Amino acid sequence: MTSLTIGLLLILGLVVVVLLGMHIAVALLATGFIGIWILRDNIDLAFRLLGMASYNGIADYLFATIPLFVLMGILVSISNVGRDTFEVAEALLRKLLGGLGVATVAANAVFAAVTGVSIASAAVFTRVAVPEMGRHGYRLPFAAGIVAGSSVLGMLIPPSLLLIIYGVLAEVSIGAMFLAGIIPGLLLSFGFVALIMLLARFRPSFVYTDVEAARVRQSEAGDEKTLSWGEILKKLVPIVALVTLILGGLYSGFFTPTEAGGVGAFGALLIALMRRQLDRPRMWQVLYQTGLVSVAILVLLIAAGYYSRMLSIAGIPNAIAMLVQDSGLGPYGFLLIYVVIVLLMGMILDSTSILLIMVPISAPIALSLGFDLIHFGIITVIAVEIGLLTPPFGISVFTVHTALADPKTKVEQVFMGTLPFVLVMALSLLLIAAFPILSTALI
């Protein structure tokens, strides 16, 4: 049996054991260890490479970005920033057609710029925005779909944990990945806003339970209590200042990604203290959650690095690259097949697992075919994000459904509510694939 055949069998075995429920880190380490042992017929080499991967895999100063951005996201979450951002967006946009839905997208985009985690956004805005939309006559499945759809912005608008993980796996600049995510993130945000307004205008029955009653509420929106400009500034200035500080520092080159994480975490700490949301027990819980999430991610990266070494020894990336070149598919033929595979995997696996399995194989191939790995990374992350909204896994949809107060709304209805947002994401994916400048303009 050739090295290539063994490598392909090990990839298949990895997918099978993950689907059977084995933790992705354990599956990657076990597959990598068995693969190196069989390919080199040397168990000592497998152990030595495992030791090297365990140390060298996360020894770089760059990996401090992970706990720092996780800490920042958790501190921002407990400071009620999501609620305040939605209240401001609601006050400013309530008179707009589909205004509450647009406010949810806008608030989620701002919240995403400091948390970087879709699940946090989905949980926060399900509790904050869905009841308010329901009170104003929105169909609950569509309201939940707005939250689930816009929550994926957290994985694209920097700082994003998925962009960090991709940058590490593909060995590209994390700062460059952050900058590359800004325009695609804004493109998705405006696409979602346009979708909501068009549906409210041309298919109001999809948006509202009672169209006539919704129109009456819309006309009376100006009579409701609104926030004063002082209240708006009080709620919005801290979060806008934090976003500006992080992205401005990164864009200007004043901060490295690690320094931006440290500054952002300190800024989030100040916000939590100023809002009196941080006592001693809660601070301990924040540190505990930060450690729990950070260690889980770092262990996954060690496992992915070890797995990547096994793939290189087996010659998988080179063999697939030669196969693509000889088949005459060309770069965009390969990209189409790759995106389809990622979308299919998104229906059964979580986003981190997809990156850990696919990037070590695909990144070298994409580079050999002439793709910019930063552009390729944005395409990858959007394709993975679509998987967060598609059945049967759809983790963002299940998060929203779990947080809903209405037991009558079924998970299938939430999936239907997210379907228009999936279509917008697919269109955005096509645009970004066709026009790389959309992801590389700011770099």
Side-chain angles (χ1 to χ4, degrees):
M1 192 179 294
T2 65
S3 296
L4 183 60
T5 304
I6 293 171
L8 292 172
L9 288 174
L10 286 167
I11 293 172
L12 178 62
L14 171 67
V15 175
V16 170
V17 296
V18 169
L19 289 176
L20 289 175
M22 181 180 288
H23 191 278
I24 181 68
V26 177
L28 287 166
L29 288 171
T31 304
F33 184 86
I34 293 170
I36 294 171
W37 182 8
I38 293 174
L39 290 166
R40 288 292 180 262
D41 193 23
N42 188 338
I43 193 171
D44 291 334
L45 176 63
F47 275 117
R48 284 200 303 274
L49 290 178
L50 179 58
M52 290 171 62
S54 300
Y55 175 75
N56 295 331
I58 56 171
D60 196 288
Y61 171 71
L62 180 68
F63 288 93
T65 54
I66 293 172
L68 289 171
F69 279 122
V70 170
L71 175 60
M72 181 182 70
I74 293 174
L75 285 170
V76 166
S77 294
I78 68 165
S79 301
N80 292 324
V81 165
R83 183 197 64 196
D84 289 351
T85 307
F86 176 74
E87 287 177 356
V88 171
E90 179 189 2
L92 296 175
L93 300 170
R94 69 168 74 234
K95 294 183 180 180
L96 199 65
L97 191 64
L100 280 179
V102 174
T104 302
V105 173
N108 234 331
V110 175
F111 193 67
V114 288
T115 59
V117 181
S118 291
I119 304 307
S121 298
V124 167
F125 285 96
T126 300
R127 298 187 184 98
V128 170
V130 172
E132 188 68 10
M133 284 190 278
R135 189 172 70 84
H136 282 78
Y138 282 68
R139 293 177 61 247
L140 279 185
F142 183 68
I146 293 173
V147 172
S150 58
S151 72
V152 300
L153 295 170
M155 291 298 187
L156 192 59
I157 296 177
S160 156
L161 286 180
L162 272 194
L163 292 179
I164 293 174
I165 292 171
Y166 175 85
V168 171
L169 294 174
E171 298 182 359
V172 296
S173 165
I174 291 175
M177 288 301 304
F178 282 174
L179 294 177
I182 294 174
I183 293 177
L186 292 175
L187 178 66
L188 270 184
S189 301
F190 287 123
F192 290 162
V193 167
L195 171 71
I196 293 167
M197 294 179 70
L198 288 172
L199 285 175
R201 175 69 178 84
F202 296 106
R203 287 291 303 276
S205 60
F206 189 83
V207 177
Y208 303 108
T209 52
D210 186 330
V211 176
E212 292 304 319
R215 285 173 178 162
V216 171
R217 290 191 188 94
Q218 183 73 33
S219 64
E220 296 174 347
D223 299 331
E224 297 184 21
K225 181 182 180 297
T226 58
L227 298 175
S228 68
W229 284 109
E231 291 173 315
I232 289 174
L233 288 175
K234 183 180 178 181
K235 290 176 179 290
L236 209 55
V237 164
I239 192 66
V240 171
L242 188 59
V243 172
T244 304
L245 181 65
I246 297 168
L247 297 185
L250 280 171
Y251 186 73
S252 65
F254 191 75
F255 297 149
T256 66
T258 308
E259 290 165 348
V263 171
F266 181 70
L269 176 63
L270 291 180
I271 291 172
L273 290 173
M274 285 190 298
R275 295 187 172 200
R276 298 180 181 180
Q277 297 293 326
L278 202 62
D279 53 18
R280 185 175 295 178
R282 187 170 279 188
M283 185 65 195
W284 171 251
Q285 191 63 25
V286 166
L287 294 175
Y288 173 77
Q289 288 295 328
T290 301
L292 198 67
V293 174
S294 302
V295 169
I297 293 172
L298 292 171
V299 170
L300 284 169
L301 292 175
I302 290 172
Y306 190 55
Y307 166 73
S308 181
R309 292 190 184 200
M310 182 275 292
L311 294 176
S312 298
I313 291 172
I316 295 290
N318 289 336
I320 295 178
M322 291 299 297
L323 181 64
V324 171
Q325 290 172 352
D326 294 341
S327 67
L329 288 173
Y332 281 92
F334 159 75
L335 186 63
L336 176 62
I337 294 172
Y338 170 72
V339 168
V340 169
I341 292 172
V342 170
L343 292 175
L344 291 174
M345 293 183 75
M347 295 180 181
I348 53 176
L349 295 175
D350 66 278
S351 52
T352 304
S353 298
I354 297 169
L355 287 185
L356 293 170
I357 292 171
M358 293 300 296
V359 173
I361 301 171
S362 59
I365 300 170
L367 187 61
S368 70
L369 293 173
F371 283 104
D372 183 323
L373 285 185
I374 292 174
H375 173 226
F376 185 73
I378 297 300
I379 292 172
T380 299
V381 170
I382 294 175
V384 168
E385 283 180 327
I386 293 174
L388 295 176
L389 302 177
T390 50
F393 197 80
I395 188 168
S396 285
V397 173
F398 279 101
T399 301
V400 169
H401 182 258
T402 302
L404 275 177
D406 181 21
K408 296 180 181 178
T409 304
K410 298 180 180 179
V411 69
E412 305 89 58
Q413 293 175 299
V414 182
F415 273 117
M416 286 301 297
T418 62
L419 182 59
F421 298 92
V422 172
L423 297 177
V424 170
M425 292 179 71
L427 179 59
S428 300
L429 180 61
L430 286 173
L431 285 172
I432 292 166
F435 302 102
I437 191 68
L438 291 173
S439 57
T440 58
L442 299 179
I443 302 173

